[in-house]
Amino acid sequence: MTSFAYVRLPLLALALSAAAAVAPAAACTRVVYLGDHQDVITARSMDWKSDIATHLWVLPRGIARTGQAGRHSIRWTARYGSVVASAYDVATTDGLNEAGLSANLLWLVESGYPAARGRKPGLAISLWAQYMLDNFATVAEAVAALQREPYALVTDRVPGETRLATLHLSLSDASGDSAIIEYIDGKQVIHHDRAYQVMTNSPVFEQQLALNAYWQQIGGTVMLPGTNRSADRFARATFYVNAIPKSEDPVVALASVFSVIRNVSVPYGITTEGEPNISSTRWRTVADHKRRLYFFESALTPNTFWVDLNKADFSVGAPVRKLDLGTDQRNVFAGDALARFQPAVPFVFLGTGD
């Protein structure tokens, strides 16, 4: 008993000190399951204090984009088609492309973006995830490009609010590779390793790893933290995504991953006093990289449904299609909902045109 206490007290002090310093943040979680037979499944929860007007979109290849960051914005043409979840229909917050790359945006209050872009072309933060889905098939390919810093990321106000969006980005691919990209004190920081299966919110990712080391020494079968705080969700997600069986049955594997992301979700109607942005889970997505399936689950509907990317028309010139999820994502769908998508005018990304 004495040995247990002395070994862990320094780590416990570190954990408590860092946790106490955590500022209010949106309580989203992202996990990557690495199963047998090259099964890779990425899940995320979207937790926010109000409806972010999410809809699903099928975006084909060949769309020409600008970085929406005023004069001298980066430009590109989409190499890959994708299925994405929008926020306020002005940003891509989550998605899976036809090559099996997943991108997820989560809140990170400690984010600090470059104050000056220098000669680099600008990229509005609303397009950050879409830039990845449009241009890259693998995490390694994306990281190699990002290390050259091809753009200067430009943030903007959250729709309907005065504060600026402070986000970090996770990437995962069909090989199971992962990367976490953050901007701290104006500098890009890339964490690239297959072992980086979990991302939550504050503190920054490096400190999250240190906090999680304490819980790993205790062991998840002995005790796990149970609150909705970011560091606690990180510890639970890390333990459970590696504890669930590595089933050969894809139905069982998907059910197991859903159970993990639900475990770190915040019950609907729950908020944390004094921390209004630690709020209810509004929806969850699960991306099956191997089978190219993108699942969506709203907290306010009885059904989980999916989109089969193998059947989607991503060809150049194909129409953009939208699945209207309704206010608070209350519209009900079942099974493969691809046929329910309707041709639509593409949403305009938040930012400043040329």
Side-chain angles (χ1 to χ4, degrees):
M1 181 67 177
T2 302
S3 174
F4 177 91
Y6 277 96
V7 167
R8 290 170 174 77
L9 272 175
L11 277 172
L12 177 60
L14 170 66
L16 293 176
S17 173
V22 172
C28 304
T29 305
R30 169 268 202 183
V31 300
V32 180
Y33 165 87
L34 304 174
D36 292 337
H37 303 287
Q38 299 180 320
D39 271 358
V40 180
I41 302 172
T42 297
R44 71 84 53 84
S45 61
M46 170 58 76
D47 306 352
W48 199 249
K49 62 183 179 180
S50 57
D51 180 21
I52 64 169
T54 294
H55 302 290
L56 297 188
W57 297 77
V58 172
L59 304 176
R61 302 172 219 121
I63 296 178
R65 302 197 198 279
T66 175
Q68 288 292 103
R71 295 182 61 188
H72 193 39
S73 292
I74 191 169
R75 295 177 180 275
W76 72 94
T77 299
R79 296 173 59 199
Y80 301 100
S82 57
V83 173
V84 307
S86 62
Y88 305 103
D89 277 351
V90 298
T92 292
T93 189
D94 194 83
L96 178 69
N97 75 11
E98 60 180 318
L101 181 74
S102 173
N104 323 97
L105 283 180
L106 279 69
W107 197 262
L108 179 68
V109 73
E110 292 89 349
S111 300
Y113 305 104
R117 70 173 69 171
R119 295 186 177 182
K120 294 185 183 299
L123 175 67
I125 200 168
S126 63
L127 281 135
W128 196 13
Q130 193 62 52
Y131 179 86
M132 305 302 162
L133 297 172
D134 282 352
N135 286 294
F136 306 113
T138 67
V139 171
E141 184 184 358
V143 168
L146 295 181
Q147 287 173 337
R148 298 190 293 270
E149 299 195 52
Y151 55 75
L153 196 64
V154 179
T155 190
D156 208 333
R157 288 185 175 86
V158 177
E161 302 187 29
T162 58
R163 62 176 172 167
L164 295 174
T166 52
L167 305 168
H168 56 170
L169 172 72
S170 69
L171 300 174
S172 51
D173 66 23
S175 76
D177 199 7
S178 280
I180 311 296
I181 301 98
E182 300 178 336
Y183 280 83
I184 308 300
D185 297 326
K187 296 181 180 180
Q188 178 184 255
V189 180
I190 301 175
H191 303 273
H192 178 204
D193 198 292
R194 182 181 173 90
Y196 297 148
Q197 295 170 256
V198 177
M199 183 173 87
T200 54
N201 313 109
S202 298
V204 298
F205 189 71
E206 184 176 356
Q207 294 177 28
Q208 286 281 17
L209 295 175
L211 287 166
N212 192 56
Y214 164 72
W215 293 108
Q216 287 180 323
Q217 286 199 35
I218 291 177
T221 58
V222 176
M223 180 175 64
L224 280 172
T227 78
N228 59 5
R229 296 184 69 88
S230 177
D232 290 1
R233 288 181 283 106
F234 192 105
R236 292 204 308 281
T238 300
F239 172 74
Y240 282 122
V241 79
N242 289 293
I244 55 178
K246 310 303 181 186
S247 177
E248 296 182 13
D249 184 341
V251 174
V252 173
L254 283 164
S256 298
V257 175
F258 264 109
S259 69
V260 173
I261 200 64
R262 288 167 182 154
N263 180 277
V264 292
S265 296
V266 181
Y268 202 84
I270 295 294
T271 58
T272 300
E273 186 176 355
E275 299 186 46
N277 299 319
I278 297 185
S279 303
S280 306
T281 296
R282 295 193 160 267
W283 50 259
R284 289 170 285 266
T285 61
V286 172
D288 185 328
H289 297 260
K290 181 178 179 180
R291 298 167 190 86
R292 305 293 193 268
L293 301 174
Y294 186 70
F295 293 81
F296 189 91
E297 179 179 68
S298 170
L300 294 180
T301 61
N303 291 349
T304 298
F305 66 91
W306 63 90
V307 181
D308 187 342
L309 274 70
N310 300 292
K311 300 176 182 177
D313 185 0
F314 292 122
S315 61
V316 176
V320 169
R321 294 183 177 272
K322 175 183 179 180
L323 186 66
D324 189 330
L325 299 181
T327 303
D328 289 314
Q329 298 75 60
R330 287 174 177 258
N331 290 350
V332 177
F333 303 95
D336 185 356
L338 182 61
R340 303 288 298 276
F341 282 71
Q342 298 298 319
V345 176
F347 64 87
V348 178
F349 286 89
L350 181 66
T352 306
D354 294 349

